Amino acid sequence: MSSELKDLVGSNGSLDSQEESPHVGGGGGSSGKAKDERPLLKPGSAASEAANAATPSERLEELEKKYAPYVRKDAYGTMGRGELPPAEWVLLGIALVTLVPIRLVVGIFLVVLYYLICRLCTLFYAPNREDGKEDYAHMVGWRRVVVVRTGRFLSRIMLFVLGFYWIRESHRSFSFEDEHEQPDESERPEVIVSNHISYVDILYQMSSCFPSFVAKRSVARLPLIGIISKCLGCVYVQRESKSSKGVSGILTERIKEAHQNKLYPMMMLFPEGTTTNGNYLLPFKTGAFLAKAPVLPVILKNHQAVITSPFHANTGRLT
């Protein structure tokens, strides 16, 4: 039986090799024609003509347009890879051994200090538990006052430590025909939407209005940061979660709660969903607008062009 199977396999193999030899490979003088060198695209197709027509310069220009919102340009060149004069290298070296350690130590001290304040204010206070998550968004009384005021103050100090010494703010005012006319209580914004240009955006928003943010569920388990995020009233989401509400449903429910209860913190959302260089506007996600609540738009712009060394101040502008 085994000999018959070997003979059968051998005969089939020889037949297959003979049949496939014109296309895949073979021996003898036909080896030069063994490979299939036919193009993937037909020479006359529109796709091949467009690919052949595009020159390297045109392709590079297309890539630059596509990724223009993410390219950062400042005093250190594009993406910080520009050529620096020797004097600037000397300043960077001095800052590395003096300014950086000071900022690191002070920053850690501020985080630990605020962690202790949050821990003290949450002692013997039951958190709000829902879907396996907990937060202190409903915190009221002296606990809420202490958490918010110290949080705003320490966030501004942290910005100062990081070099943001002056932050200019400009607010657009609306004129009413009647001096005594005031905006309706129900029209107060409960959602803040803003562009996202750097990691310090969160610090600025905390120092300005102390809103709640959207964070990954793993943030709640981080040392020090976990309890701080709970006091902020962060909404924890998990993309792979099988919750029936979904991320949009959770946000809509939370925004409606903040709209009905003024003691709840406002929600802070970055509708673009990613960070940019601040010179472009990407398409918005719809999560901030599904609740049909008043929205406060905010634009953050960091004047990075004035940064010439770590000893110089960063300036921010809020419009």
Side-chain angles (χ1 to χ4, degrees):
M1 179 65 70
S2 59
S3 61
E4 293 178 359
L5 288 176
K6 289 181 181 179
D7 295 337
L8 180 60
V9 172
S11 60
N12 289 341
S14 61
L15 289 174
D16 292 343
S17 62
Q18 292 175 3
E19 292 176 358
E20 295 178 359
S21 60
H23 304 285
V24 179
S30 62
S31 60
K33 299 180 181 179
K35 291 185 179 180
D36 188 359
E37 298 180 353
R38 292 176 296 174
L40 296 178
L41 296 176
K42 295 181 180 180
S45 64
S48 64
E49 292 178 358
N52 294 331
T55 62
S57 59
E58 292 177 347
R59 294 174 184 174
L60 180 60
E61 184 179 355
E62 184 180 353
L63 288 176
E64 289 179 349
K65 290 181 180 180
K66 182 178 180 180
Y67 295 101
Y70 312 102
V71 177
R72 299 182 180 272
K73 299 180 181 180
D74 53 23
Y76 296 110
T78 303
M79 305 300 290
R81 302 185 64 180
E83 295 183 1
L84 299 179
E88 195 70 19
W89 282 109
V90 173
L91 290 176
L92 288 172
I94 297 174
L96 184 63
V97 297
T98 58
L99 192 59
V100 172
I102 292 175
R103 288 182 172 179
L104 182 62
V105 172
V106 176
I108 294 175
F109 169 76
L110 292 175
V111 173
V112 173
L113 176 60
Y114 192 51
Y115 163 80
L116 295 176
I117 294 173
C118 292
R119 180 63 67 183
L120 177 63
C121 292
T122 54
L123 283 177
F124 310 110
Y125 196 88
N128 179 32
R129 291 185 174 87
E130 185 179 359
D131 295 336
K133 300 169 289 186
E134 61 179 30
D135 61 72
Y136 295 93
H138 66 295
M139 184 185 296
V140 295
W142 66 269
R143 301 172 187 266
R144 182 67 182 173
V145 173
V146 172
V147 167
V148 172
R149 291 188 178 181
T150 56
R152 295 180 63 177
F153 178 71
L154 294 178
S155 297
R156 186 62 189 93
I157 294 180
M158 181 70 81
L159 287 171
F160 187 87
V161 170
L162 295 176
F164 291 84
Y165 306 138
W166 301 280
I167 299 179
R168 292 182 295 171
E169 298 183 1
S170 60
H171 304 270
R172 178 168 295 180
S173 60
F174 298 91
S175 59
F176 297 94
E177 297 180 358
D178 187 0
E179 295 181 354
H180 302 286
E181 183 180 356
Q182 298 293 334
D184 188 9
E185 183 76 11
S186 61
E187 295 300 321
R188 292 193 306 177
E190 304 301 337
V191 186
I192 303 174
V193 293
S194 172
N195 59 324
H196 200 4
I197 57 177
S198 69
Y199 65 95
V200 297
D201 297 350
I202 295 177
L203 285 175
Y204 171 75
Q205 298 295 348
M206 287 179 61
S207 66
S208 177
C209 52
F210 206 80
S212 298
F213 298 89
V214 177
K216 295 181 180 179
R217 184 172 294 185
S218 59
V219 174
R221 298 188 294 269
L222 292 176
L224 304 180
I225 303 299
I227 186 65
I228 295 176
S229 65
K230 293 177 183 179
C231 289
L232 275 167
C234 289
V235 176
Y236 302 109
V237 297
Q238 192 171 358
R239 292 183 178 180
E240 58 271 14
S241 176
K242 298 181 180 180
S243 175
S244 58
K245 295 181 181 179
V247 177
S248 299
I250 295 173
L251 289 176
T252 301
E253 182 178 330
R254 179 61 180 276
I255 292 171
K256 289 181 178 179
E257 290 177 355
H259 188 59
Q260 297 172 358
N261 187 357
K262 301 305 176 183
L263 297 178
Y264 264 65
M266 292 187 293
M267 282 298 306
M268 173 73 223
L269 298 174
F270 302 109
E272 293 175 292
T274 185
T275 56
T276 64
N277 54 21
N279 298 325
Y280 296 83
L281 193 64
L282 301 181
F284 281 9
K285 309 291 183 182
T286 59
F289 312 99
L290 295 178
K292 299 180 180 180
V295 175
L296 175 64
V298 174
I299 299 176
L300 296 176
K301 186 171 181 60
N302 183 17
H303 296 273
Q304 299 176 354
V306 303
I307 306 175
T308 56
S309 76
F311 294 98
H312 293 176
N314 301 328
T315 59
R317 183 177 180 182
L318 174 64
T319 304

